């Protein structure tokens, strides 16, 4: 049996969410999922920078310092836990009925954490992919941030379960590759890395950013962010996914295409281990 997650609301231990809350009512909020090692959040600056971008995109009052303080307090409780998954949620808080935000906004922070059993230093086992039927809606004003409206990903995850695969590739409303349901996606083509552009849709993952800014340059591997077509995935020399909890994860199968060797992902993972060594 999995242990129950620890919960904090506005920095205090809690067992329930106060209502009303616009995050619950309308998805009016943001979240960050962090990997925590012995009480130290991994790549914290990347997470806080993306959170700040989301705060500005949703026109919240400046609540980053308060969220950072609550996060630090929760992480202190995880000292002694080798690895934990922590979710920091920031909502617009309470408000009256209706979509329009209240004039006086008091953002609310909700933090949950749960221990992880797997050693996150190790390269995650290869996964199998299918194709999602649900498409990811295009909304440039929300592209890149982790807002609370994730119903498309819920539907995609349900499709993955029905297909008997680990994950599904999601296309956007234009028919271009976006990501898998819970991770960013990279492909190896002609010795370089390609990853879908996030100008119109998608989440700017912290591990995606790490690969682009640090891990690939350290190996002199070029990274290109551009439109990616579905056919390119099955023709790629290699595929891998990445997210905050699983790190880098090679792909072993997509449709009829199989990959047994993952040299680029393995080489990048060596650098990733150093990056998560808090």
């Amino acid at each position: 049996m999995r242990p129950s997650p620890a919960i904090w609301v506005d920095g205090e231990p809690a067992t329930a969410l106060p209502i009303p809350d616009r995050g619950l009512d309308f998805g009016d909020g943001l979240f960050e999922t962090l990997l925590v090692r012995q009480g130290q959040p991994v790549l914290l600056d990347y997470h806080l920078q993306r959170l700040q971008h989301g705060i500005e995109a949703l026109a919240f009052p400046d609540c980053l310092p308060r969220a950072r303080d609550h996060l630090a307090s929760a992480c202190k409780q995880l000292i002694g836990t080798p690895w934990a998954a922590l979710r920091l949620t920031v909502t617009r808080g309470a408000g009256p009925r209706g979509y329009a935000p209240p004039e006086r906004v008091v953002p609310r922070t909700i933090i949950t954490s749960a221990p992880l059993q797997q050693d996150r230093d190790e390269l995650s086992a290869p996964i199998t992919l299918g194709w999602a039927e649900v498409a990811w809606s295009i909304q440039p004003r929300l592209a890149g941030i982790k807002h609370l409206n994730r119903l498309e990903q819920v539907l995609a995850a349900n499709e993955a379960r029905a297909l008997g695969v680990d994950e599904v590739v999601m296309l956007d409303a234009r028919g271009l590759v976006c990501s898998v349901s819970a991770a960013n996606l990279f492909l190896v083509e002609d010795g370089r890395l390609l990853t879908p552009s996030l100008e119109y849709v998608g989440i700017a993952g912290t591990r995606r950013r790490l690969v682009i800014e640090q891990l690939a340059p350290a190996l002199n591997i070029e990274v290109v962010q551009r439109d990616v077509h579905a056919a390119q995935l099955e023709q790629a020399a290699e595929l891998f996914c990445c997210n905050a909890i699983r790190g880098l994860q090679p792909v072993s199968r997509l449709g009829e295409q199989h990959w047994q060797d993952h040299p680029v992902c393995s080489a990048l993972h060596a650098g990733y281990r150093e990056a998560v060594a808090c």
Side-chain angles (χ1 to χ4, degrees):
M1 180 181 297
R2 293 184 179 181
S4 299
I7 303 172
W8 297 267
V9 175
D10 289 333
E12 298 295 330
T15 58
L17 174 65
I19 54 175
D21 186 273
R22 290 182 59 88
L24 178 62
D25 292 343
F26 307 118
D28 189 3
L30 306 152
F31 73 102
E32 293 289 327
T33 303
L34 297 93
L35 180 67
V36 180
R37 182 175 197 167
Q38 294 287 355
Q40 295 294 320
V42 176
L43 295 180
L44 177 59
D45 286 347
Y46 279 10
H47 284 284
L48 293 180
Q49 289 165 17
R50 182 174 61 185
L51 180 60
Q52 179 62 35
H53 178 56
I55 288 169
E56 294 169 0
L58 297 187
F60 280 20
D62 183 17
C63 54
L64 187 66
R66 187 164 177 261
R68 185 193 295 115
D69 289 345
H70 292 167
L71 175 63
S73 178
C75 285
K76 287 181 181 179
Q77 307 305 311
L78 298 175
I79 295 174
T81 301
W83 298 99
L86 182 147
R87 172 169 164 147
L88 166 64
T89 301
V90 180
T91 77
R92 205 182 296 265
R97 293 182 66 254
Y99 290 134
E103 292 186 7
R104 182 176 181 273
V105 173
V106 182
R108 175 174 288 149
T109 63
I110 304 160
I111 296 175
T112 61
S113 72
L116 297 171
Q117 301 304 316
Q118 183 178 347
D119 184 354
R120 304 319 308 181
D121 273 336
E122 300 300 321
L123 181 63
S124 296
I127 60 172
T128 58
L129 301 183
W131 294 97
E133 292 187 8
V134 60
W136 200 320
S137 302
I138 293 174
Q139 178 47 266
R141 290 188 63 175
L142 300 178
I145 68 174
K146 289 197 76 169
H147 56 78
L148 295 180
N149 296 273
R150 301 266 70 95
L151 279 179
E152 291 156 339
Q153 286 68 50
V154 171
L155 294 175
N158 199 39
E159 290 180 14
R161 181 167 53 191
L163 291 171
V165 295
D166 297 307
E167 264 280 15
V168 284
V169 177
M170 297 188 68
L171 307 181
D172 65 23
R174 301 168 298 173
L176 297 172
V177 173
C178 183
S179 69
V180 297
S181 67
N184 290 114
L185 183 64
F186 285 86
L187 58 150
V188 180
E189 183 181 274
D190 297 328
R192 61 184 180 176
L193 286 177
L194 302 184
T195 191
S197 169
L198 302 178
E199 183 179 359
Y200 297 103
V201 60
I203 295 174
T206 57
R207 274 46 178 183
R208 176 184 184 272
R209 181 180 173 187
L210 181 68
V211 170
I212 293 170
E213 295 185 358
Q214 298 185 41
L215 303 185
L219 297 175
N220 294 315
I221 298 175
E222 180 185 5
V223 183
V224 179
Q225 303 175 60
R226 72 177 193 194
D227 291 346
V228 175
H229 297 271
Q232 290 179 266
L233 298 190
E234 295 185 343
Q235 297 167 2
E238 187 177 339
L239 293 179
F240 67 89
C241 306
C242 58
N243 72 13
I245 301 303
R246 300 199 302 258
L248 308 185
Q249 193 161 35
V251 173
S252 62
R253 177 170 61 86
L254 171 60
E256 299 301 317
Q257 181 68 4
H258 292 72
W259 294 270
Q260 292 184 337
D261 300 316
H262 315 94
V264 174
C265 183
S266 297
L268 291 167
H269 176 72
Y272 179 74
R273 290 188 62 172
E274 295 182 13
V276 302
C278 298

